Amino acid sequence: MQEVQIGDLPLYNQDDDASQASSVKWLKAEIAASQGLLFVTPEYNRSIPGVLKNAIDNGSRPYGQSAWAGKPAGVIGISIGAIGTAVAQQHLRTILAYLDVPTLGQPEAFIQAKDGLFEADGSIGATSRKFLQGWMDRYVAWIKQHAA
Ligand SMILES: Cc1cc2nc3c(=O)[nH]c(=O)nc-3n(C[C@H](O)[C@H](O)[C@H](O)COP(=O)(O)O)c2cc1C
């Protein structure tokens, strides 16, 4: 797993398509070199954060040169809300479908951040470990299936 930095990307502007910033080129190169994608998102006002949408937009252009197309992806999220990013994830799936990113459909994982989810050392607590390990096993199988 390699975490892609999206905080230093410029706000997407189509006028820059012919001369994309080095941070955008770096993002696109990392996506191109990857076997698959894992989107881990909070939920902001019932959608994905603008920072994530900006990264997706930057990686999708210039037209015809999207870094995303064909990369298999998993979508997972966590928030303090009871619906655990369900709406944000659904919005994200709509965007990814347009960008030709096949996403793992099941199992879904809508995680609510609450006491006991994490142990003091940052590892996953006992009650959620089996579910999240099962999700990760399916995700890895999904990526391998597309690599084959
Ligand atoms: C601007 C903003 C909007 C948010 N909107 C939602 C929301 O619609 N649904 C939700 O469940 N949580 C919402 N949250 C909570 C976040 O999903 C998340 O739980 C919170 O930012 C803590 O994440 P962190 O520990 O990564 O900082 C919102 C947070 C912020 C800052």
Side-chain angles (χ1 to χ4, degrees), residues 56-76:
I56 294 171
D57 291 344
N58 268 300
S60 72
R61 293 290 167 137
Y63 184 78
Q65 295 173 44
S66 169
W68 307 110
K71 293 287 176 186
V75 175
I76 194 168

Side-chain angles (χ1 to χ4, degrees), residues 41-47 78-85 113:
T41 186
E43 182 169 284
Y44 277 12
N45 299 316
R46 295 286 179 264
S47 188
I78 179 168
S79 83
I80 50 177
I83 58 172
T85 71

Side-chain angles (χ1 to χ4, degrees), residues 16-143:
D16 300 332
D17 273 7
S19 56
Q20 288 186 309
S22 56
S23 56
V24 176
K25 287 181 180 161
W26 180 242
L27 168 79
K28 294 182 74 176
E30 284 188 289
I31 301 302
S34 71
Q35 289 178 286
L37 313 167
L38 176 55
F39 289 88
V40 184
T41 186
E43 182 169 284
Y44 277 12
N45 299 316
R46 295 286 179 264
S47 188
I48 59 171
V51 175
L52 175 56
K53 183 61 162 57
N54 183 58
I56 294 171
D57 291 344
N58 268 300
S60 72
R61 293 290 167 137
Y63 184 78
Q65 295 173 44
S66 169
W68 307 110
K71 293 287 176 186
V75 175
I76 194 168
I78 179 168
S79 83
I80 50 177
I83 58 172
T85 71
V87 185
Q89 289 189 40
Q90 213 55 48
H91 282 190
L92 180 55
R93 287 179 186 279
T94 299
I95 297 161
L96 295 177
Y98 175 71
L99 292 173
D100 204 18
V101 174
T103 51
L104 174 67
Q106 294 292 341
E108 298 170 300
F110 307 126
I111 305 163
Q112 184 178 20
K114 53 186 177 186
D115 287 349
L117 178 61
F118 297 109
E119 303 288 358
D121 66 0
S123 61
I124 305 293
T127 51
S128 299
R129 179 178 291 274
K130 189 168 175 232
F131 170 76
L132 287 172
Q133 185 62 59
W135 189 92
M136 188 53 77
D137 291 346
R138 286 286 298 273
Y139 166 74
V140 170
W142 173 251
I143 301 301

